[in-house]
Amino acid sequence: KKLVGVNTHLSNKIVLEALEKKKIKKLTKFSEIKSESKFSDNTRFDFLISNNKAKCYLEVKNVTLVRGNDIAELPDAITARGKKHLEELMVAKKKGYESYILYLIQREGCKSFKIASDIDVEYKNAFNAALKHGVKILCYDCKINNEEIRINNQINYEK
């Protein structure tokens, strides 16, 4: 029996704790953390993280869909909002910010992560464009039990 975290409101709390405790290897250089940071008139990113030299926008996506061979996938439904976030991360990158999207799998035991292009091909196209434009992808699973959910291992992205 595997526990799965489905409360999407916990994702940002889990990531905030991981940022504060320096558990996300690629982001340990950032010491300042601001949640729900306004980027444009119609976009807020989950985090603006920074240090003296760099600023970085970080968007978090909660992943609950797992299909064959323990592969976590996103999205689980068509997501215009998710696509917009990818497009806005590309704009942020063009404006000189580092840009990351973190896919948080609230469960253990997934071997890899991929985009469910059969569910939302437009999201997949935006994802591919974001990669080409320098948006960085991170994917982590979670350690989960009846008392806590916390970030665990980095999971590989599968093309």
Side-chain angles (χ1 to χ4, degrees):
K1 164 176 125 173
K2 288 184 184 175
L3 294 175
V4 178
V6 294
N7 184 341
T8 57
H9 298 290
L10 290 179
S11 302
N12 287 5
K13 291 176 183 164
I14 295 164
V15 172
L16 176 60
E17 180 183 64
L19 288 168
E20 290 171 344
K21 292 183 174 182
K22 306 288 188 195
K23 299 284 186 194
I24 303 170
K25 287 182 205 115
K26 299 265 188 210
L27 304 178
T28 56
K29 69 180 179 184
F30 297 107
S31 50
E32 300 293 315
I33 304 165
K34 184 181 173 196
S35 297
E36 289 296 316
S37 182
K38 184 175 173 150
F39 175 67
S40 65
D41 286 345
N42 60 357
T43 302
R44 284 180 184 273
F45 288 120
D46 292 319
F47 297 98
L48 173 61
I49 51 180
S50 60
N51 60 27
N52 293 340
K53 296 177 186 145
K55 289 185 176 187
C56 174
Y57 280 108
L58 172 64
E59 182 63 19
V60 177
K61 295 293 176 208
N62 191 57
V63 180
T64 56
L65 177 63
V66 175
R67 298 191 283 189
N69 289 337
D70 294 325
I71 299 169
E73 297 183 58
L74 189 117
D76 59 4
I78 290 175
T79 173
R81 188 169 168 266
K83 179 177 171 261
K84 182 189 81 151
H85 280 134
L86 287 169
E87 291 164 350
E88 292 285 293
L89 283 169
M90 286 186 266
V91 173
K93 183 73 180 143
K94 281 183 194 150
K95 290 184 173 182
Y97 294 88
E98 289 187 40
S99 297
Y100 280 84
I101 189 159
L102 189 150
Y103 295 97
L104 187 72
I105 307 165
Q106 283 194 52
R107 65 192 300 155
E108 291 177 69
C110 288
K111 294 183 180 97
S112 62
F113 167 78
K114 72 177 195 175
I115 301 300
S117 55
D118 62 314
I119 293 174
D120 189 345
V121 72
E122 287 189 27
Y123 185 85
K124 174 66 171 172
N125 292 340
F127 177 87
N128 289 342
L131 282 181
K132 281 189 192 118
H133 288 89
V135 175
K136 301 278 196 286
I137 308 303
L138 293 171
C139 187
Y140 279 83
D141 70 356
C142 289
K143 196 85 169 154
I144 186 167
N145 59 43
N146 291 334
E147 284 79 47
E148 68 173 353
I149 304 174
R150 62 183 158 78
I151 211 159
N152 191 32
N153 296 313
Q154 190 165 359
I155 301 294
N156 291 326
Y157 163 65
E158 185 180 292
K159 290 184 173 129

